[in-house]
Structures are given as C-alpha cells and as structure tokens.
Amino acid sequence: MRALLLRDLALAVRAGGGFGLGLSFFLIVTVLVPFAVGPDTGTLAPIAPGVLWIGALLACLLSLDRILALDWEDGSLDLLATAPLPLEGIVTVKALAHWITTGLPLVAAAPALGVLLSLPGPGYLWLFVSLLLGTPALSVIGTFGAALVVGLKRGGLLMSLLVLPLYVPTLIFGAEVARRGAEGLDVQTPLLMLAGISTGSLALLPFAAAAVLRVNLR
Amino acid sequence: MLTLDSVSVTRGGVPVLDDVSLALGRGQAVVLRGPNGSGKTTLLRTVAGLQPPAAGRIEGAERVAYAGHADGLKASLSAAENLRFWVSAFGTHDILPALAAFDLEALADRRAGEMSAGQKRRLGLARMLVTGRPVWVLDEPTVSLDTTSVGLFAKAVSDHLEKGGAALIATHIDLGLPDTRTLDVTPYRARPRAAAADEAFL
C-alpha cells in the first residue's frame, strides 16, 4: 500500500505526471475572474467564496481521468488487481494520492488566491477549513467516477457528466461554509454537513469503486 | 498447484471456451495453443482471477502470477524502480536475481520509457521473478524478444520449474522446455447458444 502511494506520488511529480495541472488551472480561473467582472471590491467580495470553490472543484475534475486510466492503458491495473493487495485498498490509495497531488495544493493556494478576489478577512480561515474538509470528498467521488469509465476510450466526457451531479452537495455545503465565514455568520450547520459528506464518501465509495473496477476489468 | 475443473469462459458475455480441464503440478509446464481469437487470453485472464469463470472451478488461483500483453511498466520510472515497486507489492525482497536473469543489470537505472520494445518485454518478464508466486501464467511472453532473449526467458522458466514452480504459457514458438505438455484449445471452442447473445445485458 505504502509502495503504491509512493509510486503514484513519484509518477505525479516527474515529467509528464500532471502535478500542478489542477493548481495552475485554479490559478488561471481566479486570476481571470477579476478581469471579467471588474476589480470593484463590492462586486468581487460576495462572489469570492463561490468562485474559489468552483475553481477548486473544476481543477479537481480536470485531473480525475488520470487516476486509473493511465494504469489501465499500460496494463498495470491488471497486474495490481492480481497482486496481493485488496482492490478497495488500491482505490483508496489512488484517491489519497490524487488528493495529495491535487487537493492539498489547492487548499494551500486558496487563501493566497482569495486576496485576488478581495475575500473579506474572516473568510480566509473558513475557506481553508471548508476546502480541507471538502477536497477529500472530491477525490474519493472522482476515483469512483474514474473506476466507472475505466477501459472506455475517451471516457473523460462521460465521467464528467457522471461525477458532476455527485459533486453538487459538496460544492453547496463547501461554498456555504466559506460564504458564511466571510460574512461572519455561524458556520456550524454547513460545516457538519460537509464533514458528513466527506466521511460518508470516504467510508463507502472505495467499496463501490472496487466493485465497479472488478466488473470493468473483465 | 493449479487445477481447472471443466471451466467455461466468456468474453463480453459471449462464451468462447467450454469444459476446459487441466491439472498443473510442481515442475510442470503447459503450453496453450490455438488460432487468434480462440480464447487463450480469456482463459488466462480467468485463471489469473481477473474475471470469474462462467462455469466450473479453478483451484490455486491465489498462487498465480500473471503477465499479459501489456508489460505494466511506468515510463517515467527506471527499470529498478519499476521492479522495486512490485517487490513491495508482493512482499518479496530482492530485485537483483530478476535483473540478472534477464540481463538487465546495465539497464537498471534507465527509464522504462527510453527502453526498446524487447528490453521492456524483458523487464516485464523479470517482474514474474520478483512476485515469488509459484504458478506463472504468461500470455504471449516472447513477443518482440530476439533469439538471445527468448533463450534467457526459456532458461528463467526452466529454472522456475526446477525449483518446483509451474507455468501456463500461451505461445506459438517452441521454448524447448522439459516436461511440457501442449494443450490445443480449438476442440474446446464453445458452441453458439441461443441465449448467449442476451447474457451481457441481463
């Protein structure tokens, strides 16, 4: 398991690994928004939490099809499935590797990019917390989507269509935490809902992903 | 070590082979033969546990190490890193004997993406040695290997058999292995069934 995680991380940071793809996409979105809607603080501040969350979500979505498709193409997914590792563990490690290489950099960069969108002062902490809680759910749900379409040529479009509706609850509650935080309101309810979504997906989806992967490997 | 008891296999819901029985003991090798599309790969994938048999029983699937058409190598990792990953995945120890068996010592630090097709194949086959599993299931292992490398491969297989291992190999060339049986899959070809076409949708 540890070896698989280290291998996936090493593959991600080497040339052509796609590390930084999500991060640069996130950067581009947040840099472009003030150009499009105008630099006025009164316009930017209310939409900042939502824009940052949409940017993070799309950045995650962008790198999902690499999670399993690359291993499928070079045949190592077949070999992993015949190795003495449980398939549930393999997909969990894959999701964790995706989170470390995509989700975690987004969480770290979001407060810095909040400055570009004139995010109000109290919002930084809650933006950080909501992304830290929400991005693991994005990675796990995305791994499930990747398992659904593994083996399909150009499955990326189908996967986006399958995964986006599943991302909606995370987006709603994540952006709500950040918005309420920015406006100085109580964040407890959306924060608990977001934590519930994350822990629920973490607990259940690896089993679902392993089950569909077994069918897709036939 | 590996027993197939009247096994039937399907590909995409369509039956390809029916009623295949086979017993593979210590030190034995079976070579599968048959024309393209006759179901050799499907049978091997079933034996490796990648898909369940449609009927029949397979015993000893947990002892199988499988190598398919693709080598499963990561282009940006070196040969040694590729092998070391499988060493930790299978909980074995050493990659040096595997590198030596396929004459890869000089290439240990070269990235798999910069290797030739034959060198990649040798690295893919060296993976079988680091799995530590007794039953090798190999699908067309000699593709893109030159004569010398085929010799290395045949030697690796016969060493493996001498140590009490077993091998099930789909190949078209003669490896010159001792104690080898040949199983032609053509007589086991499944007859088309009326209900078969719906199977994938039910």
Side-chain angles (χ1 to χ4, degrees), chain A residues 1-88:
Chain A
M1 292 295 193
R2 219 177 108 243
L4 181 61
L5 179 64
L6 292 176
R7 183 194 74 149
D8 274 15
L9 295 180
L11 287 173
V13 295
R14 295 213 181 163
F19 179 74
L21 178 75
L23 191 60
S24 47
F25 178 81
F26 190 39
L27 182 75
I28 290 166
V29 169
T30 42
V31 167
L32 289 184
V33 166
F35 288 120
V37 302
D40 181 28
T41 309
T43 326
L44 278 176
I47 62 165
V51 167
L52 286 164
W53 251 93
I54 290 177
L57 186 143
L58 292 178
C60 250
L61 194 65
L62 195 62
S63 50
L64 285 186
D65 61 345
R66 308 182 66 93
I67 298 182
L68 293 167
L70 295 180
D71 277 348
W72 161 266
E73 276 162 20
D74 63 20
S76 38
L77 200 57
D78 281 348
L79 304 179
L80 279 174
T82 56
L85 304 170
L87 214 46
E88 288 81 3

Side-chain angles (χ1 to χ4, degrees), chain A:
Chain A
M1 292 295 193
R2 219 177 108 243
L4 181 61
L5 179 64
L6 292 176
R7 183 194 74 149
D8 274 15
L9 295 180
L11 287 173
V13 295
R14 295 213 181 163
F19 179 74
L21 178 75
L23 191 60
S24 47
F25 178 81
F26 190 39
L27 182 75
I28 290 166
V29 169
T30 42
V31 167
L32 289 184
V33 166
F35 288 120
V37 302
D40 181 28
T41 309
T43 326
L44 278 176
I47 62 165
V51 167
L52 286 164
W53 251 93
I54 290 177
L57 186 143
L58 292 178
C60 250
L61 194 65
L62 195 62
S63 50
L64 285 186
D65 61 345
R66 308 182 66 93
I67 298 182
L68 293 167
L70 295 180
D71 277 348
W72 161 266
E73 276 162 20
D74 63 20
S76 38
L77 200 57
D78 281 348
L79 304 179
L80 279 174
T82 56
L85 304 170
L87 214 46
E88 288 81 3
I90 292 173
V91 292
T92 312
V93 168
K94 291 256 160 210
L96 179 64
H98 178 261
W99 182 70
I100 292 174
T101 54
T102 309
L104 207 53
L106 296 179
V107 176
L113 296 175
V115 179
L116 293 174
L117 296 175
S118 321
L119 187 70
Y124 289 93
L125 172 67
W126 292 114
L127 176 71
F128 181 77
V129 170
S130 67
L131 282 172
L132 194 63
L133 263 180
T135 43
L138 298 183
S139 288
V140 176
I141 296 171
T143 309
F144 172 61
L148 276 175
V149 300
V150 84
L152 293 181
K153 294 262 180 267
R154 312 219 192 311
L157 173 67
L158 182 60
M159 186 183 59
S160 311
L161 290 174
L162 289 170
V163 162
L164 270 180
L166 300 175
Y167 270 5
V168 167
T170 320
L171 175 66
I172 291 175
F173 292 110
E176 184 70 2
V177 171
R179 187 187 66 81
R180 287 189 174 218
E183 290 174 9
L185 303 171
D186 179 28
V187 297
Q188 193 187 7
T189 312
L191 196 63
L192 288 177
M193 290 299 283
L194 184 64
I197 291 169
S198 278
T199 45
S201 341
L202 267 172
L204 298 176
L205 282 179
F207 294 97
V212 289
L213 206 51
R214 262 184 210 110
V215 173
N216 274 340
L217 282 179
R218 278 178 197 179

Side-chain angles (χ1 to χ4, degrees), chain B residues 51-141:
Chain B
Q51 59 178 66
R57 259 174 346 121
I58 298 176
E59 274 174 34
E62 70 286 347
R63 288 191 277 269
V64 165
Y66 170 74
H69 290 201
D71 292 317
L73 303 173
K74 289 294 172 192
S76 57
L77 298 183
S78 74
E81 284 170 319
N82 268 298
L83 280 184
R84 253 182 244 125
F85 166 68
W86 292 111
V87 163
S88 7
F90 281 90
T92 48
H93 300 291
D94 206 0
I95 65 164
L96 292 177
L99 284 175
F102 285 94
D103 195 17
L104 288 163
E105 289 119 320
L107 301 170
D109 294 322
R110 180 160 323 169
R111 295 199 310 175
E114 290 158 358
M115 289 181 161
S116 78
Q119 289 168 338
K120 280 185 201 163
R121 192 77 229 183
R122 267 150 58 196
L123 183 53
L125 293 171
R127 191 185 62 85
M128 302 303 283
L129 283 168
V130 305
T131 60
R133 295 245 176 121
V135 182
W136 287 5
V137 170
L138 301 157
D139 196 358
E140 300 284 359

